[in-house]
Amino acid sequence: MTQSLRAWVEALGGELIGSPDLSIQGLAPIESAQEADLCFLSHPKYAAQLASTRAACVIVAPNMREAAAARPNAPALSATWVVDKPYLTFAQVTQLWRPRVRPDAAAGIHPSAVVDAQAVVDPSAMIGPLCVVERGARIGAGTQLHARVTVGQDCVIGARCIVHSGVVVGADGFGFAPRGDGSWEKIEQLGAVRIGDDVEIGANTCIDRGALSDTVIGEGVKLDNLVQIGHNVQVGAHTAMAGCAGVAGSAKIGARCQIGGGAVVLGHLELADDVVINASTTVMRSIKHPGQYTGVFPIDDNADWEKNAVTLRQLHKLRDRIRALELALQNTQGNTK
Amino acid sequence: MTQSLRAWVEALGGELIGSPDLSIQGLAPIESAQEADLCFLSHPKYAAQLASTRAACVIVAPNMREAAAARPNAPALSATWVVDKPYLTFAQVTQLWRPRVRPDAAAGIHPSAVVDAQAVVDPSAMIGPLCVVERGARIGAGTQLHARVTVGQDCVIGARCIVHSGVVVGADGFGFAPRGDGSWEKIEQLGAVRIGDDVEIGANTCIDRGALSDTVIGEGVKLDNLVQIGHNVQVGAHTAMAGCAGVAGSAKIGARCQIGGGAVVLGHLELADDVVINASTTVMRSIKHPGQYTGVFPIDDNADWEKNAVTLRQLHKLRDRIRALELALQNTQGNTK
Amino acid sequence: MTQSLRAWVEALGGELIGSPDLSIQGLAPIESAQEADLCFLSHPKYAAQLASTRAACVIVAPNMREAAAARPNAPALSATWVVDKPYLTFAQVTQLWRPRVRPDAAAGIHPSAVVDAQAVVDPSAMIGPLCVVERGARIGAGTQLHARVTVGQDCVIGARCIVHSGVVVGADGFGFAPRGDGSWEKIEQLGAVRIGDDVEIGANTCIDRGALSDTVIGEGVKLDNLVQIGHNVQVGAHTAMAGCAGVAGSAKIGARCQIGGGAVVLGHLELADDVVINASTTVMRSIKHPGQYTGVFPIDDNADWEKNAVTLRQLHKLRDRIRALELALQNTQGNTK
């Protein structure tokens, strides 16, 4: 199974240095690419890899043009593909290559899926085996539900979405009023979930329905596996969240944000557009300005961590002792002057 | 689809100021309620919202009676509903309203569910599509298993529980004995899971079976999505846990506790009744007294975090330097006196 | 249902003090064992429990031989079973006992499972109800897929594995290239997942397929519930990860590591063999040496936490003040000498 470069360059653009008839047999990372493989150089800081790679073809940015074309370990037949955004072009190549590895998902509803008669599934959508699509739900054109996905009543998924196995869209939000005796009264969750176009949702991720209005996921949002989205949350377009991130109820996340793995956003907060939250960080206050934010205890060997952790619990006393020292020193200096 | 207030007030109690024949067309938060909506005022600190809300009816506590009845932007036909616990009454209203949005779950076993012949399902329970109920499991009266729930062998779920899609009750606990060569010998998990009445379990949450005895979830417990409950854990009545919380094996959580999102309780610990653990906090020691507990690194912009994190790893050295300064200063003061 | 000790001792070895015909009616922890129960003493530090236990038989190490044989509250008919590794022997006993509690899983494919015609399932494997096994997947001898497991295209699971309900093996890894306008281009995930022999995977855990090559889980690995394994990750043999742990893409975890509950390993890092990461710790740099590592904010009552957290954000300023004090004190001392 080989592929000439010609069709790819014609489809995706850029300049090819070398033969367009070169046969490509695989895609690989630059450091492990073999002599019939295509790879890419993502960043000039990895330029040294050009000296060692044996790849048949490397996708590079214009400023790497000469270095790439002259790479010493290239096979006799080789090529260099110059584009503005090598990583983006490589992503597009993976899409052209994918049908060789896995066939396109066939449109239609798998016979084992349970789709309510009052759900609306676009004929071009794919509903995988053992999915459940409840009454009033709507699945957009070209959207793929992989195996064992649940879409609850009245929830709407846009076009061209990819929903991975085990996802639950539209379970009840976590809403209870205290009865006053320690027990809880259920607040029925009367809203639904609305998911825009081109959204991808990772395996076993959960998106709860809203309490009174809808939970809303903007277009182009990417959620990794095991992410939790609480009721009434709004996620702006093209925001990406890594695995095990959690967003509590009624939080409003801006567009183009990046939320790291295991990060937690508390309820009712707002994050501006273009906010980056690093992994394992808990967002405890609204963030009004774009930027990168972190809050995670640095890892250490356990013995050192224990010493620091004990001291940390007395940190405000240390501060008081420093203040006392400053005052005492001023007095002492006054006395000695 | 409208609703006169009369039936609600008769069912739920309290005093209605205004016409009981007022038609309600929706439920809404007070800040966005329109002129045919019912809303509630949860707390006196939000009293300013009474001045702006356009809602047809507001549920308020007795101390807000006059302010609510005189709200300036109310429509011509309006009412004020005075009750002791507005949030609780509103929760009850959502339950009365819900059948207009979603029909009651029908009792019975969906034909696509796989229910073992030796499982016992109460005739009033609902087993949703593609659920699996294994041998010896028991499902109580009025309990609802939403789509794609697994209830393992011999596990017992009480009455009036709500179990959301993707939940796994009764997978094996995580128990292995070291063989001594680095590999692990499985400890068979011989217990089951016992869940009390009126428990709600969020989507994709997991509750493991006990190793020798049972894992026990008390009555009225509320678990959010993606919560992990390890083997042998005991959770006291009416305790609530938010999304992504995890309780390790053999921990014993008291009654009426609240465990925040992403919090972790380590194994074999005990938490007293009425303990509140804030989000993202790791409980590393037993907690004997009611109260609110926290342990989370404060979020900061990344550059400041980096500076503080570096210093944090030397915190016990800072403490030593402060001590040295204190001693040196005493000596200096001694010298100058 | 009783069991004489004779068969167990013959099967598992060790020395029995007392009658091999003693009847055992249950397995229990030493502190709650009743007079027909078998229990074990895991560690000499719990030796005091020998004085109080009423168990019929206790499994002990050789150094506890006399104390165990002379335990005062043993029933008239009792025994002591001396082995090198009591916890390991007890684990093996649970395996001999288990068929009394739960029947062996029957080999074969449950009729409700959806297994692609081009998947290869060993005849001795068990595929539980409502599982999905996609095209090209392979399931090894004696492996058990519990209810509602997904094994994606071309993914391979070795022999004697146990995969719990809700697991998703082979969803797409989280890979997207920025288009430059804030939106994301999907990188097709062309690899698969390869899982070795004797692996156990907990409920609702997710293991993503690799981007270009495979995600690899070594033999004997044990993953608890709700664990996330990103694309291209390699996990060495016999490593164990507790619930809610997450490993980001392309990380390489050594053999015989232990990753605590809720811990996070960031992408592209390497962990040496025999590394222990404590619960809730985020691994932000590669770890080259075996040992125990921690990074978690210590829990405190909320009021104290707030005081310390405020100070923590100014920690590097405290360090600067200490440095200033040290210099000032040197000057003062210089002045007074």
Side-chain angles (χ1 to χ4, degrees):
Chain A
M1 213 163 49
T2 64
Q3 164 74 39
S4 89
L5 280 169
R6 186 191 306 272
W8 286 352
V9 177
E10 283 174 1
L12 303 176
E15 177 200 2
L16 193 70
I17 305 170
S19 167
D21 298 315
L22 184 67
S23 276
I24 296 297
Q25 293 175 25
L27 311 183
I30 188 167
E31 65 272 21
S32 60
Q34 299 302 304
E35 57 184 24
D37 287 343
L38 173 75
C39 66
F40 72 104
L41 184 72
S42 61
H43 196 277
K45 72 179 169 185
Y46 300 121
Q49 293 176 323
L50 288 174
S52 56
T53 187
R54 303 172 58 218
C57 181
V58 185
I59 309 176
V60 297
N63 60 356
M64 288 291 115
R65 191 182 191 283
E66 280 69 34
R71 61 192 192 277
N73 288 314
L77 274 174
S78 70
T80 297
W81 183 0
V82 184
V83 301
D84 283 345
K85 297 191 170 74
Y87 191 32
L88 177 60
T89 298
F90 187 78
Q92 292 165 329
V93 167
T94 65
Q95 295 172 18
L96 297 173
W97 186 266
R98 200 258 307 139
R100 299 164 170 264
V101 179
R102 293 202 298 277
D104 282 324
I109 299 172
H110 192 278
S112 67
V114 178
V115 177
D116 190 274
Q118 295 180 55
V120 180
V121 177
D122 188 278
S124 65
M126 178 201 82
I127 310 295
L130 303 172
C131 287
V132 175
V133 181
E134 295 183 351
R135 200 174 70 103
R138 284 183 287 157
I139 311 295
T143 281
Q144 301 176 19
L145 306 190
H146 285 268
R148 300 199 303 101
V149 165
T150 300
V151 181
Q153 283 187 30
D154 299 325
C155 295
V156 177
I157 299 184
R160 298 174 303 279
C161 294
I162 300 174
V163 184
H164 288 285
S165 189
V167 165
V168 179
V169 172
D172 279 354
F174 197 61
F176 302 91
R179 290 200 188 109
D181 63 353
S183 73
W184 302 95
E185 186 83 27
K186 182 174 177 66
I187 300 168
E188 291 286 346
Q189 304 293 300
L190 305 171
V193 178
R194 278 184 288 133
I195 295 175
D197 296 337
D198 301 300
V199 169
E200 184 158 344
I201 306 175
N204 282 350
T205 281
C206 302
I207 305 174
D208 277 351
R209 62 175 64 246
L212 294 171
S213 51
D214 292 344
T215 303
V216 180
I217 308 293
E219 63 166 340
V221 165
K222 311 297 180 190
L223 305 179
D224 198 354
N225 299 350
L226 292 165
V227 168
Q228 155 67 0
I229 305 288
H231 58 181
N232 313 325
V233 166
Q234 298 178 40
V235 180
H238 308 301
T239 282
M241 299 193 197
C244 308
V247 182
S250 303
K252 188 174 171 186
I253 313 275
R256 299 175 304 279
C257 292
Q258 297 179 40
I259 311 290
V264 172
V265 179
L266 298 192
H268 297 274
L269 301 182
E270 294 198 20
L271 272 61
D273 296 341
D274 301 299
V275 166
V276 176
I277 303 295
N278 279 331
S280 301
T281 295
T282 299
V283 183
M284 293 175 279
R285 54 180 171 83
S286 290
I287 296 184
K288 300 187 191 318
H289 303 290
Q292 189 178 2
Y293 299 84
T294 311
V296 54
F297 203 102
I299 186 172
D300 215 336
D301 65 84
N302 188 65
D304 283 338
W305 171 81
E306 285 195 350
K307 282 190 288 188
N308 289 323
V310 165
T311 309
L312 179 59
R313 295 184 58 186
Q314 305 170 333
L315 187 56
H316 61 286
K317 292 180 186 159
L318 289 193
R319 189 196 51 195
D320 293 344
R321 284 163 67 183
I322 293 172
R323 197 173 292 159
L325 278 167
E326 287 167 339
L327 290 172
L329 190 63
Q330 283 171 16
N331 289 340
T332 302
Q333 290 171 326
N335 290 344
T336 60
K337 270 171 190 164
Chain B
M1 214 163 49
T2 64
Q3 165 73 41
S4 89
L5 281 169
R6 185 191 307 271
W8 286 352
V9 177
E10 283 174 359
L12 303 177
E15 177 199 2
L16 192 71
I17 305 170
S19 166
D21 297 315
L22 183 67
S23 276
I24 297 297
Q25 293 176 25
L27 312 183
I30 188 168
E31 66 271 19
S32 61
Q34 299 301 305
E35 59 184 21
D37 286 343
L38 173 76
C39 66
F40 72 104
L41 185 72
S42 61
H43 196 276
K45 73 179 170 185
Y46 300 121
Q49 292 177 323
L50 288 174
S52 56
T53 186
R54 302 172 58 216
C57 180
V58 184
I59 308 177
V60 296
N63 60 357
M64 288 290 115
R65 190 181 193 284
E66 280 70 34
R71 59 192 193 277
N73 287 315
L77 273 173
S78 71
T80 297
W81 183 1
V82 184
V83 300
D84 284 343
K85 297 190 169 76
Y87 191 33
L88 178 59
T89 298
F90 188 78
Q92 292 165 329
V93 167
T94 65
Q95 295 171 17
L96 298 173
W97 186 265
R98 201 259 308 141
R100 299 164 170 263
V101 178
R102 293 202 298 276
D104 281 326
I109 299 173
H110 192 277
S112 68
V114 177
V115 177
D116 190 274
Q118 294 180 54
V120 179
V121 177
D122 189 279
S124 65
M126 178 200 83
I127 310 295
L130 303 172
C131 287
V132 175
V133 181
E134 296 183 351
R135 201 174 71 102
R138 285 184 286 159
I139 311 295
T143 281
Q144 302 176 19
L145 305 190
H146 285 268
R148 302 198 302 101
V149 165
T150 299
V151 181
Q153 283 187 30
D154 298 325
C155 295
V156 177
I157 299 184
R160 297 174 304 279
C161 294
I162 301 174
V163 184
H164 288 285
S165 188
V167 165
V168 179
V169 172
D172 279 354
F174 197 62
F176 303 91
R179 290 199 188 108
D181 62 352
S183 73
W184 302 96
E185 187 81 27
K186 182 174 177 68
I187 299 169
E188 290 286 346
Q189 304 292 300
L190 305 171
V193 179
R194 279 184 287 133
I195 295 175
D197 297 336
D198 300 301
V199 169
E200 184 158 344
I201 305 175
N204 282 349
T205 280
C206 301
I207 305 174
D208 277 351
R209 64 175 63 246
L212 294 172
S213 51
D214 293 343
T215 302
V216 181
I217 308 293
E219 63 165 341
V221 165
K222 311 298 180 190
L223 304 179
D224 198 354
N225 299 350
L226 292 165
V227 168
Q228 155 68 359
I229 305 288
H231 58 181
N232 313 323
V233 166
Q234 298 179 40
V235 180
H238 308 300
T239 282
M241 300 192 195
C244 308
V247 181
S250 302
K252 189 175 171 187
I253 313 276
R256 299 175 304 279
C257 292
Q258 297 179 38
I259 311 288
V264 172
V265 180
L266 299 192
H268 297 273
L269 302 182
E270 294 200 20
L271 272 62
D273 296 341
D274 301 299
V275 165
V276 176
I277 303 294
N278 280 331
S280 301
T281 295
T282 299
V283 183
M284 292 174 281
R285 53 180 172 83
S286 290
I287 295 184
K288 299 187 191 318
H289 303 290
Q292 189 177 2
Y293 299 84
T294 311
V296 54
F297 203 103
I299 187 173
D300 215 335
D301 66 83
N302 188 65
D304 283 337
W305 171 80
E306 285 195 350
K307 282 189 288 189
N308 288 324
V310 166
T311 309
L312 178 59
R313 295 183 58 186
Q314 305 170 334
L315 187 55
H316 62 286
K317 293 180 186 160
L318 289 192
R319 190 197 50 196
D320 294 343
R321 284 163 67 182
I322 292 172
R323 197 173 292 159
L325 278 166
E326 287 167 341
L327 290 172
L329 190 64
Q330 283 171 17
N331 290 339
T332 302
Q333 289 170 330
N335 291 344
T336 59
K337 271 173 193 164
Chain C
M1 214 163 47
T2 64
Q3 164 74 41
S4 88
L5 280 169
R6 185 191 306 272
W8 287 352
V9 177
E10 283 173 1
L12 303 176
E15 176 200 3
L16 193 70
I17 306 170
S19 167
D21 297 315
L22 184 66
S23 276
I24 297 298
Q25 293 175 25
L27 311 182
I30 188 167
E31 65 272 21
S32 61
Q34 299 301 305
E35 58 183 24
D37 286 343
L38 173 75
C39 65
F40 72 104
L41 184 73
S42 62
H43 196 276
K45 72 180 169 184
Y46 300 121
Q49 293 177 323
L50 288 175
S52 55
T53 187
R54 304 172 55 219
C57 181
V58 185
I59 309 176
V60 297
N63 60 356
M64 289 290 116
R65 191 181 191 283
E66 281 68 35
R71 59 193 193 277
N73 288 314
L77 273 173
S78 71
T80 297
W81 183 0
V82 184
V83 300
D84 284 343
K85 297 190 170 75
Y87 191 34
L88 177 60
T89 298
F90 188 78
Q92 292 165 330
V93 167
T94 65
Q95 294 171 19
L96 297 173
W97 187 265
R98 200 257 308 139
R100 298 163 173 264
V101 179
R102 293 202 298 278
D104 282 325
I109 299 172
H110 192 277
S112 67
V114 177
V115 177
D116 190 274
Q118 294 180 55
V120 179
V121 177
D122 189 278
S124 65
M126 178 200 82
I127 310 294
L130 302 172
C131 286
V132 175
V133 181
E134 296 183 350
R135 201 173 71 102
R138 284 184 287 158
I139 312 295
T143 281
Q144 302 176 18
L145 305 191
H146 284 269
R148 301 199 302 101
V149 165
T150 300
V151 181
Q153 284 187 30
D154 298 326
C155 294
V156 177
I157 299 184
R160 298 174 305 278
C161 295
I162 301 175
V163 184
H164 289 284
S165 188
V167 165
V168 179
V169 171
D172 279 353
F174 197 61
F176 302 91
R179 289 199 189 108
D181 62 353
S183 73
W184 302 96
E185 186 83 27
K186 182 175 177 67
I187 299 168
E188 291 286 346
Q189 304 293 299
L190 305 171
V193 178
R194 278 184 288 132
I195 295 174
D197 296 337
D198 300 301
V199 170
E200 184 158 345
I201 306 175
N204 282 349
T205 280
C206 301
I207 305 174
D208 278 351
R209 64 174 63 245
L212 294 171
S213 51
D214 292 344
T215 302
V216 180
I217 308 293
E219 62 165 341
V221 165
K222 311 298 180 189
L223 305 180
D224 197 354
N225 299 350
L226 292 166
V227 168
Q228 155 68 358
I229 305 288
H231 57 182
N232 313 324
V233 165
Q234 297 178 42
V235 180
H238 309 301
T239 282
M241 300 193 196
C244 309
V247 181
S250 302
K252 189 174 171 186
I253 313 277
R256 300 175 305 278
C257 293
Q258 297 180 40
I259 311 288
V264 172
V265 179
L266 299 192
H268 297 274
L269 302 181
E270 294 199 20
L271 272 62
D273 295 341
D274 301 299
V275 166
V276 176
I277 303 295
N278 279 331
S280 302
T281 294
T282 299
V283 183
M284 293 175 280
R285 53 179 172 83
S286 290
I287 295 184
K288 300 186 190 319
H289 303 290
Q292 190 178 1
Y293 299 84
T294 311
V296 54
F297 203 103
I299 187 172
D300 216 335
D301 66 82
N302 188 66
D304 283 337
W305 171 81
E306 284 195 350
K307 281 189 288 189
N308 288 324
V310 166
T311 310
L312 179 59
R313 294 184 58 186
Q314 305 169 333
L315 187 55
H316 62 286
K317 291 179 186 160
L318 289 192
R319 189 196 50 194
D320 293 344
R321 283 163 68 184
I322 293 172
R323 198 173 292 159
L325 278 166
E326 288 167 339
L327 289 173
L329 190 63
Q330 283 170 16
N331 290 339
T332 301
Q333 290 170 328
N335 290 345
T336 60
K337 272 177 189 161

